[in-house]
Amino acid sequence: MGHPMVTPGGDDPGTAFRSAVLAGLLDLPLPGGGRTRDRFLRFVELGRADLPLARLGEGHADALAILAELGMTIDPDRRREPWGVWAAVPASVTATRDGDRWRLTGDRPWCSGAGLLARALVTATADDGIRLFAVEVDAAGVTALPDTWPAVGMAASDSRTVSFDGVTAVAVGGPGSYTARPGFWHGGLGVAACWYGGAVGVADTLYSAARHRRLGPHALAHLGAVDAALTAARSVLFAAADEIDANPTGDADRLAHQVRATVEAAATTVVDRVGRALGAGPLCQDAHHARRVADLTVYLRQSHAEADLAHLGELVAAVGDPGW
């Protein structure tokens, strides 16, 4: 651990991602196996260096963890090919049986690495429920649609809408198994680790300013608030890693929502306070910082905001003792 795969001014995220997969640098410890802290730390490192790379790397590592948890063995050579998980809006793709095979049809939005992956895990609605399927991205009938991600934020993750037209697919697990497995929420915590790393990357600009020039009292107050927010979020994130290792098959729904809400709030605080401390200068004159802020702003919206908080509230209301 501890060897960033991209540095400012280095390879673009797509090239860095594919190189890292080929070198086995994204074959990370599986969540719940005793080294979840190491897994999360790698996501933090990636997020701090480059959020689009982190998004791609987390997706690949999550795909390998899903395959392992659902009992699907893949050839070692295929582990050295870039995988991803395209699981948003399950109803947007339908799965139909074709003899002993399955075929997928529909348009799936939010597919990161659309032009970079070799294989993807795709959710689809079948006659017996929502299922997960493995597809070859270069198979006939798979089309990454152009001009479906006009945004600046996370543009380097090559996220697009992907169209499936009768694409041959292999079922992974049974109906509902993708979300029913314990690791579903472990994956959600991996995303939070990427958010945290992205927030640290944004905060690095304020820290660097403090190291190289004298800041006024207001900027120093913002730096103090950033330090407090990041320290709290890091503690919660890595405490969750320990909890997962202690109880790998337990229901981590509440834990994941607690951590994601905490990290999201910290990251939002960082973006706001760094901007207030330093003004428009870094956003207008430092391309790397401006890109970090745009990327993090978009990536954080993978959270469902108040909907997630309401779900967390329901979980809290249903327990006899919230443990506060």
Side-chain angles (χ1 to χ4, degrees), residues 184-315:
F184 178 75
W185 293 116
H186 302 166
L189 284 161
V191 172
C194 295
W195 295 345
Y196 174 79
V200 173
V202 172
D204 282 338
T205 301
L206 178 54
Y207 177 69
S208 178
R211 297 278 292 176
H212 290 92
R213 69 175 190 265
R214 189 177 186 85
L215 296 182
H218 293 169
L220 287 172
H222 286 305
L223 178 59
V226 164
D227 179 60
L230 289 176
T231 299
R234 183 181 182 88
S235 296
V236 169
L237 177 67
F238 287 109
D242 294 341
E243 189 168 337
I244 289 170
D245 285 338
N247 187 18
T249 61
D251 183 359
D253 186 351
R254 183 183 173 198
L255 178 66
H257 278 84
Q258 289 171 329
V259 174
R260 284 168 65 94
T262 300
V263 173
E264 180 189 356
T268 301
T269 293
V270 168
V271 170
D272 180 58
R273 287 190 176 272
V274 171
R276 294 171 72 88
L278 299 178
L283 291 171
C284 300
Q285 298 173 338
D286 181 342
H288 186 64
H289 176 76
R291 204 160 42 240
R292 284 182 189 273
V293 172
D295 289 340
L296 182 58
T297 301
V298 171
Y299 201 1
L300 285 175
R301 295 280 50 84
Q302 190 170 338
S303 154
H304 299 105
E306 280 69 25
D308 281 353
L309 290 174
H311 176 68
L312 178 56
E314 291 175 350
L315 295 175

Side-chain angles (χ1 to χ4, degrees), residues 73-279:
T73 302
I74 59 173
D75 186 274
D77 290 341
R78 292 193 173 185
R79 297 179 66 91
R80 294 294 186 268
E81 297 176 339
W83 286 76
V85 183
W86 296 343
V89 197
S92 64
V93 175
T94 58
T96 55
R97 297 180 188 272
D98 180 15
D100 59 353
R101 298 183 298 178
W102 291 87
R103 293 192 178 275
L104 305 186
T105 301
D107 292 348
R108 171 57 46 80
W110 321 113
C111 296
S112 295
L116 299 170
L117 303 184
R119 292 174 175 79
L121 297 180
V122 182
T123 51
T125 302
D127 56 3
D128 55 359
I130 296 175
R131 284 178 168 266
L132 185 69
F133 298 89
V135 300
E136 296 187 7
V137 174
D138 62 355
V142 180
T143 305
L145 302 179
D147 304 321
T148 49
W149 190 272
V152 173
M154 297 300 286
S157 68
D158 192 19
S159 295
R160 289 184 264 169
T161 296
V162 173
S163 177
F164 298 91
D165 184 10
V167 176
T168 300
V170 177
V172 180
S177 61
Y178 168 65
T179 55
R181 64 195 170 85
F184 178 75
W185 293 116
H186 302 166
L189 284 161
V191 172
C194 295
W195 295 345
Y196 174 79
V200 173
V202 172
D204 282 338
T205 301
L206 178 54
Y207 177 69
S208 178
R211 297 278 292 176
H212 290 92
R213 69 175 190 265
R214 189 177 186 85
L215 296 182
H218 293 169
L220 287 172
H222 286 305
L223 178 59
V226 164
D227 179 60
L230 289 176
T231 299
R234 183 181 182 88
S235 296
V236 169
L237 177 67
F238 287 109
D242 294 341
E243 189 168 337
I244 289 170
D245 285 338
N247 187 18
T249 61
D251 183 359
D253 186 351
R254 183 183 173 198
L255 178 66
H257 278 84
Q258 289 171 329
V259 174
R260 284 168 65 94
T262 300
V263 173
E264 180 189 356
T268 301
T269 293
V270 168
V271 170
D272 180 58
R273 287 190 176 272
V274 171
R276 294 171 72 88
L278 299 178

